[in-house]
Structure formats: structure tokens, C-alpha cells
Amino acid sequence: MLHRLVGARSRDRNPLRTRRLSPLDVPEGPVMEGATLISVIDDDESVRESLPALLRELGYAVLAYSSAEQFLCSDSVERSRCLLLDIAMPGMSGPELQQELRNRATHIPIVFITAQPDRTLRQRLTAQGAVTCLFKPFSEAELLDALHAAVRIS
């Protein structure tokens, strides 16, 4: 039975211990040879740790990035089959990254993730080409449904 929730923020996180990564830092996690590559882009360290671990259990290759800029500086732009993309991040936001990829004529299916449950925002993002927008915390089943839809598109 799928019952895990993904993306619940830790209330006791110390912001002084969170290190902001530069675009030149190596993304987090190994890449499994031959598996579908999912790129997770989220400024929340707990999401960058928990979500890739879950996705690897499900057989996906995963790389995690702390910012849209870090992702754009990587070779994952050409290799990713889906982005799990936070909406609100310092620097370039998720929707701004979506627009930048569109400007570059790069099509990668995007599943947005956000802590702000705004149905209007979900409608706007899907109208602009996103597969869906998941509200944190979301279930493993919701995540799998979104990933399957995104991978079918790619």
C-alpha cells in the first residue's frame, strides 16, 4: 500500500546549517546507467534528500539541484526525461525556468511541486505546458501518477 507523504518540511531545520550550492557544485546522487533520468530542482534540502531516495527505490535515475541556475549549468538539461520542479526558489523560480527552457526550445515534461495549495496556480501552470502541480505534502501514489504521465510525454 502506498501511504508515504513526500515534501513535508522539517519544522526544526536550522537555516544556518543549510549550505547554498553554487552552479559549479556537483549535483546530489549517483545516476543509474540506462534508467530514466528525473531531475529534482528544489531549494529545500530535505526534499533534495528524500525525493531522490524514493525515486531511486522506484527504479529511476535521479539528480538533485538546489537551484534552477545550477540545473541550467549541468548536462542534465539534455538528458532529463522529467523535472520535479519547485515553484518558489531564490533566484530563478520554477515558472521562470519553464519559460527559459521554452525559450531554448528544450522540451522536458515538468511536474511542479509547491507548499502553496493554490488551484488557480495549478491551472495556469498546466495551461503553460506543465504535466501537473503537486501540493506538498503529496502521496507516493500522486507522485507516481504524475511521473508516469510525464515519462509518457517525453
Side-chain angles (χ1 to χ4, degrees):
M1 175 184 282
L2 301 176
H3 62 280
R4 281 191 267 195
L5 293 180
V6 180
R9 288 186 180 257
S10 171
R11 295 192 192 283
D12 61 347
R13 224 171 91 194
N14 180 351
L16 299 176
R17 291 183 18 206
T18 301
R19 185 173 75 88
R20 180 86 43 213
L21 298 176
S22 77
L24 299 178
D25 285 337
V26 177
E28 301 168 21
V31 178
M32 295 168 28
E33 199 68 31
T36 300
L37 178 61
I38 308 296
S39 291
V40 175
I41 307 166
D42 198 307
D43 62 315
D44 184 339
E45 185 176 11
S46 66
V47 172
R48 290 193 318 272
E49 291 172 357
S50 63
L51 197 50
L54 172 61
L55 294 171
R56 286 186 191 101
E57 283 180 29
L58 299 171
Y60 291 101
V62 185
L63 290 174
Y65 298 90
S66 63
S67 69
E69 294 88 352
Q70 185 187 30
F71 172 73
L72 287 172
C73 291
S74 75
D75 68 346
S76 295
V77 174
E78 293 83 29
R79 300 182 311 128
S80 294
R81 295 295 160 251
C82 176
L83 300 183
L84 290 176
L85 180 57
D86 191 15
I87 290 176
M89 297 181 288
M92 183 183 286
S93 71
E96 289 169 339
L97 175 58
Q98 181 186 37
Q99 182 60 49
E100 177 62 24
L101 292 171
R102 192 176 303 122
N103 292 345
R104 295 180 180 198
T106 301
H107 179 73
I108 306 170
I110 296 173
V111 174
F112 281 103
I113 54 178
T114 184
Q116 303 303 318
D118 181 343
R119 305 267 180 233
T120 306
L121 178 63
R122 175 187 279 166
Q123 291 171 342
R124 190 178 84 235
L125 293 171
T126 55
Q128 294 173 348
V131 175
T132 192
C133 180
L134 299 175
F135 301 129
K136 298 175 189 175
F138 47 85
S139 71
E140 187 175 322
E142 290 174 299
L143 176 63
L144 281 173
D145 288 346
L147 283 175
H148 289 156
V151 170
R152 276 193 304 271
I153 293 170
S154 71

